[in-house]
Amino acid sequence: MKKIAFVLVSVLCLNFLSKADEGMWLPQLLGDKIYANMVKQGLKLSKEQLFSINKSSIKDAIVLFGGGCTAEVVSNQGLLFTNHHCGYDNIASASSVAHNYLKEGFWAKSKQEEIACPGLSVQFLIKLEDVTTQVQEKLKGIKPTDVAAKLPAILAELSAKASEGSGYEVRISTFFKGNQFLQFTYQRFKDVRLVGAPPESIGKFGGDTDNWEWPRHTGDFSIFRVYMAKDGKPAEYKEENIPYVPVHFLPVSLKGIKDGDFSMIYGYPGSTNRYETSFGIKLKVDIDNPNTVSLRDARLKCMYAEMIKDPAVKIQLAGYYAGVANYWKFFDGESKQLIKHNVIAQKEKEEEAFTTWAKTKPEFDNLFTNIKNNYTNWQPYAKHRVYINEGILGSPLLAFANSLKALDNALSAQPQKPEEITKITNATKTAYDKFIKAENIVSDRNILAIVTKLFYADVDADQRPQAFYTNLKTGFGSLESDETYTKYAKQVFDNTFLLNKDAWANFITKPDTATLHKDLAFKTATAFTDNYTKNYAKYATEFNANNYALNNLYLKGVLQMNKNKDMYPDANQTMRISYGNVKSYTPRDGAYCKEICTVKGILEKYKPNDYEFDAPAKLIELIKNKDFGQYADKKTGEVVVGFITNNDITGGNSGSPVLNAKGELIGLAFDGNYEALSHKIAVDKDFNRTICLDIRYMLFVVDKLGGAKNIIDELTLIKN
Ligand code: ARG
């Protein structure tokens, strides 16, 4: 008996302990063992060169780009490299049918030609402090199941206090499910300009077919520049701002790579859930993922049908479509890989081992029974929630209409608070401009029809908004027939004042509830969301509250159990380092994937005029003529387009620098491979790969295709 317990415990430790290359480490808190392991694998830099608070170090060249990507500074004039898919919205916003930078690409040949990107900002990390004690002090006396609800306000209060008068932004992030709190101080720069982007047929070559797949021939990069005021401080866009002078910038290596080389990736991974329980994974695989995927599939088809008809619609919907499509494929693949890699069984084993370890510790009594019950109680409503978020609110019109609830509530409040109304009215004006610019009526009308139909067909009959469907049946026909929903959608779109700019202008100048309550789009959206809010949201709240408390306790135990080990926390959009090697792999039995792919593959995949596999004629010519200049790979004589490493990264790392042992830039991380789409939950060391753009292909495109020598000249190139 004892022996079994011992074996189980060591299995657990093994699983939680980072395997060779697993782990997204906080650079400032890099343990000695981890650092020693990096050195053993080839790293040639000191800890101080990786991260230092007082001296210039690599961390100073890494920024959080926009809302959820990474970029790196590569020149002494604030030049930034990131992915094409990270700059995508900004490239699309700068585009018109006449100046279609998505289609044609864009190269600023001088700073004057660079394009301002309203709304885009980058953030530099200034410092990091452990504030666990302060947060725990505030949490004293709060019931564990109340923490989830109270924590956001506590963190907001503490960070507001910490940033007061500093000009910096402070955010406190939660680690190990609330067992640790770290405070991050950032400096945000808001004048960021577009410098270069390849045509989409390079930047997104392979489209959604190749997305999340290796081998990959996408030139997924774009180039920006960060500007500052003359006094060196961050500033809003102003023509006279000057290029940012960085504390550190990355040199770029043209030396190339080989299988086994050390590789290190810095960046801002968004989220992982490596300590998820078997129950959470079951919910994901059974309900959350498949329903999200089928609803996204339906919406994507509606958008795609309009995008292929009209280049203006393509520009209009491109960014939104890409985002929905990206995770549509991800969630589908994630479920498949979780099943294939038996992750639920792995987790069950870990849970058994934990229970054995915790036997003598009453604090953890019944932990997994409680977790299980919590999931069982929530399960009947889980699908409904997905159908609200990914279905009903997947119609941009309904999502906007639903957002007017805030205004409706403020107007209905007794007594009214005029200041509150003005504040919400102003925010609503801004949101409307964004909505109407992105609104494509035909696509959205079809979305509305399909999601109301699918909701009827798929969500538990008892949980539907009954009055809505009764009226639909009376007014429009059989609920089984597609035509009913099409007719209804037309009625909504023909009548809503939200699509009539004059009527909207009248309303928003003097908002009133009567106009809102009569509006068919508002009525439709709120029929669903009110039904959910009134009757079912309480289960979600209860589920989340319990989940926080139970997971917090579980992780407390896990940390105790592994107290002598280096543990890495889940990704939470804070700066991390991951290290590993350039590495080939076997995606399935009998197949072998090389660690690099070259421009030869572009010729193989090239399909003229195809939506996904077209390529610029000039690129094809350059490749055929082997006009590669200094970017040719010495071994193959080709240009290496991409390579793979076994670094542990996830969404948010997009655009991250891939560095060699000396901290020189060898590529940009831009994707994960299909066989390891379960990576948010569990890393499989045989399958997990990061897909990187080789920096030499990027510079080949900038130089030979774009003719932007000015960009190349700004870089520090390391040739041998
Ligand atoms: N899968 C990539 C990521 O999440 C994004 C790729 C964008 N390309 C696309 N075809 N949707 O980082």
Side-chain angles (χ1 to χ4, degrees):
M1 199 55 212
K2 252 188 176 156
K3 192 154 186 198
I4 289 174
F6 174 75
V7 169
L8 284 174
V9 169
S10 50
V11 165
L12 178 65
C13 294
L14 265 181
N15 275 328
F16 278 132
L17 224 200
S18 63
K19 286 161 241 158
D21 309 296
E22 177 179 339
M24 300 170 179
W25 305 95
L26 282 151
Q28 186 176 0
L29 306 179
L30 209 58
D32 290 336
K33 263 192 272 171
I34 298 297
Y35 175 70
N37 204 16
M38 291 171 81
V39 172
K40 206 169 107 197
Q41 292 201 28
L43 176 68
K44 297 275 187 294
L45 300 173
S46 69
K47 254 191 181 185
E48 278 244 300
Q49 287 173 298
L50 296 180
F51 190 106
S52 165
I53 284 292
N54 309 312
K55 289 189 195 150
S56 125
S57 63
I58 292 178
K59 84 110 173 67
D60 298 308
I62 316 300
V63 297
L64 177 53
F65 179 89
C69 273
T70 305
E72 51 278 359
V73 187
V74 291
S75 87
N76 59 6
Q77 300 171 64
L79 196 68
L80 295 175
F81 285 175
T82 187
N83 288 151
H84 188 263
H85 76 264
C86 293
Y88 203 71
D89 278 335
N90 298 291
I91 304 166
S93 296
S95 296
S96 60
V97 177
H99 295 280
N100 195 339
Y101 303 132
L102 274 187
K103 185 149 187 272
E104 313 296 341
F106 171 76
W107 310 103
K109 301 281 162 73
S110 70
K111 298 206 176 69
Q112 287 70 42
E113 288 175 23
E114 296 173 3
I115 301 175
C117 300
L120 178 62
S121 65
V122 298
Q123 298 172 65
F124 288 85
L125 174 60
I126 305 297
K127 64 176 173 179
L128 178 171
E129 292 144 279
D130 193 323
V131 292
T132 310
T133 323
Q134 288 95 305
V135 177
Q136 276 168 352
E137 192 57 40
K138 295 266 178 194
L139 288 174
K140 249 193 206 144
I142 296 178
K143 256 189 16 211
T145 47
D146 287 342
V147 173
K150 304 227 158 114
L151 189 59
I154 292 174
L155 299 186
E157 185 202 323
L158 287 172
S159 40
K161 216 185 262 162
S163 68
E164 218 168 61
S166 70
Y168 292 135
E169 287 180 28
V170 171
R171 293 193 289 278
I172 299 174
S173 303
T174 303
F175 292 79
F176 298 112
K177 311 256 185 205
N179 283 279
Q180 189 184 26
F181 296 92
L182 300 178
Q183 175 174 296
F184 294 79
T185 303
Y186 299 97
Q187 186 172 35
R188 188 192 287 268
F189 286 80
K190 292 184 177 171
D191 184 351
V192 182
R193 305 183 194 173
L194 177 63
V195 175
E200 185 177 26
S201 53
I202 290 176
K204 206 182 167 178
F205 182 76
D208 291 317
T209 302
D210 269 12
N211 190 18
W212 303 112
E213 310 272 351
W214 176 258
R216 183 74 156 277
H217 297 82
T218 311
D220 198 344
F221 73 88
S222 56
I223 306 174
F224 291 81
R225 188 188 307 279
V226 52
Y227 280 79
M228 61 185 190
K230 289 200 177 108
D231 64 1
K233 295 218 176 82
E236 298 286 341
Y237 171 82
K238 247 204 213 127
E239 211 181 314
E240 65 263 32
N241 285 345
I242 55 171
Y244 170 77
V245 181
V247 180
H248 182 83
F249 68 89
L250 303 174
V252 177
S253 165
L254 294 183
K255 292 178 291 189
I257 41 133
K258 60 176 189 315
D259 212 7
D261 276 359
F262 177 81
S263 60
M264 173 170 73
I265 297 179
Y266 270 74
Y268 280 91
S271 70
T272 57
N273 206 353
R274 300 275 164 82
Y275 303 99
E276 180 60 301
T277 61
S278 60
F279 307 96
I281 303 171
K282 263 185 226 146
L283 181 74
K284 204 175 196 7
V285 170
D286 293 344
I287 297 179
D288 290 348
N289 281 5
N291 289 298
T292 301
V293 170
S294 63
L295 288 163
R296 285 191 175 210
D297 194 55
R299 287 157 52 204
L300 286 168
K301 284 187 178 128
C302 298
M303 289 187 253
Y304 185 76
E306 304 315 309
M307 285 163 71
I308 48 164
K309 283 189 216 152
D310 181 350
V313 179
K314 161 78 203 255
I315 294 173
Q316 186 190 27
L317 294 183
Y320 180 61
Y321 181 93
V324 176
N326 189 30
Y327 272 83
W328 154 77
K329 188 163 178 184
F330 176 88
F331 288 130
D332 187 44
E334 183 185 48
S335 287
K336 288 182 178 135
Q337 304 306 340
L338 284 168
I339 293 166
K340 187 170 143 203
H341 299 316
N342 268 322
V343 177
I344 293 180
Q346 270 177 45
K347 291 285 177 178
E348 283 169 349
K349 248 191 188 162
E350 288 170 8
E351 287 155 17
E352 256 172 59
F354 182 91
T355 307
T356 309
W357 171 84
K359 229 178 203 147
T360 51
K361 302 172 183 65
E363 189 182 4
F364 303 104
D365 278 355
N366 301 320
L367 178 61
F368 291 107
T369 313
N370 295 338
I371 293 177
K372 183 178 175 191
N373 291 340
N374 191 38
Y375 276 92
T376 309
N377 295 341
W378 165 243
Q379 212 257 9
Y381 315 104
K383 187 170 180 181
H384 189 155
R385 182 169 66 175
V386 178
Y387 270 69
I388 293 286
N389 291 331
E390 292 285 339
I392 300 303
L393 300 179
S395 150
L397 175 67
L398 294 188
F400 179 72
N402 192 61
S403 74
L404 298 173
K405 272 298 270 191
L407 188 54
D408 186 35
N409 290 340
L411 293 167
S412 316
Q414 284 304 341
Q416 278 195 346
K417 292 186 194 141
E419 258 172 47
E420 184 72 7
I421 295 177
T422 311
K423 200 173 114 201
I424 298 179
T425 305
N426 288 337
T428 307
K429 270 187 202 156
T430 315
Y432 182 78
D433 294 342
K434 222 172 141 192
F435 156 69
I436 206 71
K437 189 165 167 245
E439 176 64 359
N440 178 263
I441 290 181
V442 183
S443 142
D444 197 3
R445 200 172 56 207
N446 292 333
I447 291 176
L448 194 152
I450 188 100
V451 297
T452 43
K453 163 106 208 275
L454 290 173
F455 195 103
Y456 173 76
D458 297 345
V459 174
D460 192 331
D462 296 340
Q463 293 180 30
R464 282 182 211 136
Q466 307 302 348
F468 174 84
Y469 282 105
T470 309
N471 293 339
L472 191 61
K473 192 169 166 192
T474 319
F476 295 85
S478 158
L479 295 175
E480 312 302 324
S481 150
D482 288 351
E483 217 194 317
T484 304
Y485 299 91
T486 317
K487 278 198 295 198
Y488 179 71
K490 185 169 178 327
Q491 180 86 354
V492 175
F493 275 79
D494 287 350
N495 288 290
T496 176
F497 80 94
L498 301 178
L499 294 170
N500 176 329
K501 283 186 192 166
D502 293 337
W504 168 260
N506 284 338
F507 166 79
I508 201 68
T509 330
K510 201 178 175 315
D512 67 295
T513 53
T515 308
L516 269 185
H517 293 180
K518 293 203 292 269
D519 184 71
L520 210 45
F522 184 77
K523 271 167 61 177
T524 307
T526 52
F528 287 90
T529 54
D530 284 352
N531 172 51
Y532 177 79
T533 311
K534 281 190 195 122
N535 304 313
Y536 305 103
K538 57 178 184 261
Y539 300 111
T541 307
E542 199 180 302
F543 169 70
N544 291 335
N546 290 333
N547 215 23
Y548 183 92
L550 294 165
N551 276 315
N552 176 269
L553 182 62
Y554 178 37
L555 265 281
K556 182 180 171 193
V558 167
L559 290 172
Q560 272 176 27
M561 203 173 141
N562 294 281
K563 61 175 178 291
N564 298 322
K565 315 259 156 48
D566 281 299
M567 304 279 285
Y568 68 89
D570 269 318
N572 57 0
Q573 212 182 51
T574 56
M575 191 192 281
R576 305 297 175 91
I577 298 187
S578 118
Y579 66 97
N581 308 89
V582 175
K583 211 165 185 174
S584 52
Y585 79 117
T586 300
R588 57 192 174 276
D589 186 40
Y592 168 71
C593 274
K594 260 171 86 157
E595 73 286 1
I596 57 162
C597 66
T598 72
V599 287
K600 266 186 170 166
I602 296 177
L603 298 183
E604 287 171 11
K605 289 178 178 176
Y606 173 49
K607 275 193 229 155
N609 300 318
D610 186 71
Y611 196 76
E612 298 186 311
F613 290 94
D614 197 5
K618 189 168 171 192
L619 177 72
I620 299 299
E621 197 183 301
L622 287 165
I623 300 173
K624 284 191 174 152
N625 295 338
K626 296 201 176 251
D627 187 358
F628 299 148
Q630 62 180 336
Y631 311 107
D633 180 53
K634 291 192 187 66
K635 242 184 337 195
T636 58
E638 306 288 338
V639 178
V640 174
V641 174
F643 61 91
I644 43 175
T645 70
N646 59 2
N647 290 73
D648 183 4
I649 69 156
T650 192
N653 268 116
S654 285
S656 287
V658 188
L659 304 170
N660 64 15
K662 291 183 174 162
E664 300 156 353
L665 188 67
I666 52 173
L668 310 188
F670 73 96
D671 211 356
N673 59 329
Y674 197 81
E675 294 79 16
L677 281 186
S678 42
H679 73 256
K680 281 192 184 284
I681 310 274
V683 174
D684 188 296
K685 75 174 180 34
D686 295 328
F687 289 104
N688 193 65
R689 292 296 180 272
T690 288
I691 302 177
C692 312
L693 167 69
D694 192 294
I695 207 67
R696 294 168 297 170
Y697 178 63
M698 169 173 172
L699 299 188
F700 160 73
V701 171
V702 170
D703 185 342
K704 294 278 178 175
L705 184 113
K709 293 247 173 349
N710 53 314
I711 295 174
I712 307 287
D713 290 344
E714 244 189 270
L715 307 171
T716 300
L717 298 179
I718 312 281
K719 300 188 186 175
N720 0 221

